[in-house]
Amino acid sequence: MGIFRTLTSNLTVIRLSSVRNNKIIMARRLHASRTDGVDKNVWVEFTKLAADYKAVNLGQGFPDFSPPKFVQDAFCNAVSGGFQMHQYTRAFGHPPLVKNMAKFFSRIVGHEIDPFEDILVTVGAYQALFSAFQALIDEGDEVIIVEPFFDCYQPMVKMAGGKAVYVPLRPKADGAILSSGDWVLNPKELESKITPSTKAIVINTPNNPLGKVYKTEELQMIADLCIKHDMLCISDEVYEWLTYDGAKHVKIASLPGMWERTITVGSGGKTFSATGWKVGWAIGAGHIIKHMKTIHQNTVYHCATAAQEAVAQGFEREYEVFGTPESYFLQLPAMLYHKRNKLAACLQSVGLQPIMPEGGYFMIADISSVKVDLNDKRTEGESYDFRFVKWLTKEKGLATIPVSAFYSPEHSKEFDKYIRFCFVKEDSTLDAAGDILRKWSQAQ
Ligand code: PMP
Ligand code: GLN
């Protein structure tokens, strides 16, 4: 009977499916509805465009220089360090890595971090975010996302069954907007978005793409709302070491009452200029992290052992030299400070008004004063900044990223006159971009 039923059901499948042009045509819908509307991806599209046109690439955020020698050496030593470095390690994080991270971050958060309970090592910050949403967001839960936001938060909330609710950082009404610090949250507007279904708020400091570094008072306001309305906070801090002009990165998890309800997300890729290693993490109270471990063990299980070993050694070294001029966590922002200023001067010299970032490695600039003929039929119907960036890449050979990609459909129209430049690049790359902009401006 069992065999008979299996046979007939297989026959049904064969009858109802057909293969045309190498595509299976099913009688029922092929794709799961969680993939609806999230199939377009700004990184996939614009990284390909930059490569196709061999453009000078100030688009995707990755350094075009090598990581510091001490982590490169650590990686090489790991690779030749015996069979174990090539095999599975502990699922939730290679023991030397979680131990070194616990030691390192305990003194920063001001809380004794348990290496085995309070840390989950992930495949980049991406997977830490994914595990957080999958583990903590249920069908119908609302998640507040502060705009502009790193684009993957929205699809991740949707794929978990939740609903994204947006609140924008707005330029202060008074005076010229020169710095990312002039973009602020309105506490009343933020509180008005909270409902009994609100489960969490996502913040990103230093922010991608704006470069805003939240001040303690701003974080305290968010923390007070989290505690008052019993919400979680997912704090994406992948650019935590990159601050300028005296701006100080503060961890919301270090504010009173927030350790218990915050998931802090970090990235070895951003921390040690090795984005291709894809070592990331989530740090938080064990009672939260344990649910993320459930997602992790049933999805990727663990990430590359040798890369984790190298990051472990990176943290060990940084622990020893913390606060001294030897520290990469001081050297990288010092180097980027000059690159930021170089890019800003270049943009200003061609009449583009940048918003000076206090952190991170991106700078956004207002393109509303630039006159170009965007009459390209192929991009008709797309938002202004998307068309502009495509034009700049194809016609001038300079790749950037449209800023409306960091906004919800509700608000993207208000912010479609900015483009994002990445400055974690060799000076020669920044100079090449400068040459393109200058030539273009002189020709006008
Ligand atoms: N969050 C932000 C704000 C980012 O800019 C990025 C891109 N690096 C990520 C998360 C993902 O980081 P990772 O490459 O470590 O997955
Ligand atoms: N985080 C990087 C950026 O913002 C790259 C992300 C990606 O390529 N997926 O540019």
Side-chain angles (χ1 to χ4, degrees):
M1 188 62 186
I3 293 171
F4 182 68
R5 201 178 300 130
T6 314
L7 270 175
T8 48
S9 70
N10 281 350
L11 283 174
T12 315
V13 172
I14 291 163
R15 191 158 43 81
L16 293 180
S17 305
S18 65
V19 176
R20 252 176 258 147
N21 302 331
N22 269 339
K23 282 187 189 154
I24 181 169
I25 312 293
M26 297 185 84
R28 65 184 141 200
R29 204 170 115 124
L30 173 64
H31 66 284
S33 56
R34 74 178 66 82
T35 67
D36 280 340
V38 295
D39 50 337
K40 274 198 103 183
N41 180 287
V42 69
W43 312 112
V44 173
E45 182 175 9
F46 285 92
T47 301
K48 180 173 184 315
L49 190 74
D52 286 351
Y53 284 83
K54 298 191 173 45
V56 173
N57 195 353
L58 301 192
Q60 194 185 27
F62 66 91
D64 66 353
F65 49 82
S66 292
K69 187 164 180 321
F70 64 89
V71 286
Q72 288 190 61
D73 288 348
F75 207 145
C76 291
N77 291 338
V79 168
S80 51
F83 85 93
Q84 280 161 321
M85 286 296 134
H86 302 277
Q87 309 306 331
Y88 294 130
T89 180
R90 177 175 168 270
F92 307 123
H94 187 49
L97 176 56
V98 290
K99 283 187 199 157
N100 289 350
M101 282 180 60
K103 194 162 86 168
F104 186 90
F105 283 110
S106 289
R107 70 178 172 192
I108 290 169
V109 185
H111 179 98
E112 203 52 47
I113 295 172
D114 184 312
F116 298 106
E117 301 291 322
D118 303 341
I119 299 178
L120 174 65
V121 177
T122 54
V123 182
Y126 261 107
Q127 196 224 334
L129 291 161
F130 181 76
S131 306
F133 293 119
Q134 286 293 315
L136 305 166
I137 302 306
D138 246 331
E139 203 69 38
D141 284 344
E142 291 177 11
V143 177
I144 295 182
I145 298 179
V146 181
E147 295 174 302
F149 61 93
F150 185 52
D151 64 306
C152 71
Y153 306 157
Q154 183 274 332
M156 286 189 187
V157 169
K158 179 196 150 68
M159 289 189 289
K163 179 177 170 225
V165 175
Y166 304 98
V167 55
L169 287 163
R170 293 184 191 282
K172 277 184 200 157
D174 50 346
I177 307 304
L178 297 176
S179 150
S180 59
D182 296 326
W183 292 55
V184 289
L185 269 180
N186 177 334
K188 289 214 172 65
E189 187 178 10
L190 172 56
E191 190 161 18
S192 75
K193 304 280 172 156
I194 300 172
T195 74
S197 301
T198 310
K199 181 83 181 277
I201 178 167
V202 190
I203 59 168
N204 172 212
T205 181
N207 171 274
N208 176 6
L210 186 57
K212 179 184 173 66
V213 179
Y214 286 67
K215 296 186 178 62
T216 306
E217 312 82 83
E218 295 176 297
L219 293 172
Q220 189 61 60
M221 180 274 285
I222 296 168
D224 290 345
L225 290 175
C226 286
I227 292 166
K228 179 172 165 194
H229 296 278
D230 197 19
M231 306 186 302
L232 295 167
C233 178
I234 299 174
S235 185
D236 180 340
E237 303 182 11
V238 300
Y239 303 104
E240 62 189 312
W241 302 108
L242 308 180
T243 59
Y244 318 111
D245 304 330
K248 204 172 152 340
H249 173 71
V250 176
K251 288 189 173 295
I252 195 167
S254 68
L255 301 183
M258 287 306 285
W259 167 255
E260 297 76 10
R261 55 176 73 245
T262 303
I263 301 99
T264 304
V265 171
S267 166
K270 304 292 163 172
T271 301
F272 293 111
S273 302
T275 58
W277 293 5
K278 291 300 286 186
V279 175
W281 53 82
I283 303 179
H287 71 272
I288 302 177
I289 297 295
K290 91 173 185 200
H291 300 293
M292 295 174 60
K293 287 178 173 171
T294 304
I295 299 299
H296 182 80
Q297 74 198 6
N298 293 306
T299 49
V300 304
Y301 190 72
H302 89 73
C303 48
T305 306
Q308 291 192 67
E309 174 67 22
V311 174
Q313 292 192 24
F315 272 115
E316 182 162 39
R317 180 205 184 260
E318 285 302 306
Y319 184 84
E320 273 147 29
V321 297
F322 193 68
T324 73
E326 305 268 282
S327 168
Y328 190 63
F329 298 166
L330 290 180
Q331 288 170 352
L332 181 60
M335 174 172 87
L336 289 179
Y337 171 76
H338 293 289
K339 293 184 185 293
R340 178 198 72 157
N341 294 352
K342 185 180 174 75
L343 177 63
C346 162
L347 297 182
Q348 275 157 345
S349 76
V350 297
L352 287 172
Q353 188 56 56
I355 311 286
M356 204 58 150
E358 311 149 274
Y361 46 51
F362 305 109
M363 179 180 297
I364 72 171
D366 188 346
I367 49 164
S368 52
S369 64
V370 185
K371 301 275 168 287
V372 285
D373 179 11
L374 295 181
N375 236 341
D376 183 343
K377 282 263 174 292
R378 291 166 298 180
T379 60
E380 224 168 48
E382 294 185 26
S383 52
Y384 185 83
D385 55 347
F386 274 68
R387 298 187 84 185
F388 185 93
V389 166
K390 286 180 184 177
W391 176 87
L392 191 59
T393 310
K394 292 178 191 171
E395 302 300 325
K396 302 288 165 194
L398 176 59
T400 58
I401 298 290
V403 166
S404 68
F406 300 84
Y407 281 87
S408 61
E410 291 102 286
H411 299 136
S412 64
K413 191 84 200 76
E414 287 172 55
F415 296 95
D416 70 351
K417 297 286 181 340
Y418 292 98
I419 62 173
R420 189 194 82 170
F421 295 83
C422 174
F423 56 87
V424 68
K425 303 291 175 189
E426 290 282 10
D427 282 352
S428 57
T429 311
L430 297 173
D431 287 337
D435 287 347
I436 291 174
L437 290 172
R438 260 185 301 277
K439 270 193 207 125
W440 170 30
S441 132
Q442 280 157 11
Q444 286 206 321

